[in-house]
Amino acid sequence: MAATGEIRGADVHEDTGGSKPSRGVEQGDREFLSLERELTVLLRRARANQGEMAREVHPDLESAAYGLLVRLEECGRQRATELAGYIGVGKATMSRQLRALEELGLVAREPDPADGRAWLVDLTEEGRTRVSRVREARRERYVTHFSDWDRREVAELARLLGQLNRGMEK
């Protein structure tokens, strides 16, 4: 926050017009209101983008399943219970999503050699190819959108978002 009390950077979506802070909001809390507003915009756009990326992987893919595919691409095969915990859904929801992904030919399950009762899930070659293609196209769009940013700024944004994500896990 600048010495004049104006918010810099995050206020691009706000037209304060010199108005006072919302009733019940302390002057010192304006940064957190600005943060909330910008995160809301970011999350709304992220949900829309996730839906687009899911459809790019497969026209019948549910939006929520895209993150599951990305996790498998990044981390390799995992137990369904680990995936459910990471995504934040219950076993029944995860089982339903995995069944749908199997039917689309994007993932396959195999018995866990360490525990015969558990299953390991991994991308199929088709799933890996499709997810990689979509992620590469998305990366290219980011390069274009952020072409006027210094690479250090992009790295700093990524670092801060990582810090935010780790903090939200607690």
Side-chain angles (χ1 to χ4, degrees):
M1 180 148 22
T4 62
E6 64 186 342
I7 299 172
R8 298 215 184 264
D11 62 344
V12 294
H13 297 288
E14 180 182 65
D15 179 14
T16 59
S19 65
K20 296 179 182 176
S22 301
R23 184 174 41 208
V25 175
E26 298 294 323
Q27 185 69 24
D29 289 340
R30 292 189 69 210
E31 304 90 346
F32 293 100
L33 284 175
S34 181
L35 175 64
E36 186 272 337
R37 180 184 55 255
E38 296 304 327
L39 284 174
T40 299
V41 170
L42 178 67
L43 293 172
R44 180 178 41 82
R45 288 183 178 152
R47 278 190 298 275
N49 285 336
Q50 184 171 333
E52 290 173 18
M53 290 183 286
R55 286 185 297 281
E56 288 176 27
V57 170
H58 193 285
D60 298 328
L61 184 64
E62 289 183 29
S63 176
Y66 179 77
L68 179 60
L69 296 174
V70 168
R71 178 69 175 185
L72 289 169
E73 182 193 38
E74 291 178 348
C75 299
R77 65 186 191 166
Q78 295 187 12
R79 287 183 176 185
T81 53
E82 291 171 320
L83 291 168
Y86 176 77
I87 301 292
V89 298
K91 289 179 184 179
T93 299
M94 181 54 57
S95 180
R96 183 185 58 76
Q97 285 185 344
L98 291 175
R99 218 174 10 263
L101 291 170
E102 279 183 299
E103 289 171 5
L104 295 175
L106 301 173
V107 302
R109 289 190 253 194
E110 61 184 54
D112 184 345
D115 180 355
R117 300 167 297 162
W119 291 86
L120 293 173
V121 181
D122 202 0
L123 292 172
T124 61
E125 273 309 308
E126 179 69 15
R128 192 168 315 285
T129 299
R130 287 174 178 246
V131 171
S132 294
R133 186 182 67 234
V134 170
R135 291 190 79 196
E136 178 58 23
R138 182 60 52 172
R139 187 200 59 77
E140 288 175 11
R141 284 182 229 158
Y142 287 144
V143 169
T144 300
H145 289 318
F146 292 98
S147 63
D148 59 338
W149 284 42
D150 184 283
R151 291 278 176 139
R152 290 173 298 214
E153 292 174 316
V154 175
E156 179 65 2
L157 176 59
R159 185 191 70 75
L160 289 170
L161 288 172
Q163 183 178 332
L164 173 69
N165 286 327
R166 286 185 301 279
M168 299 297 251
E169 288 175 359
K170 296 177 183 177

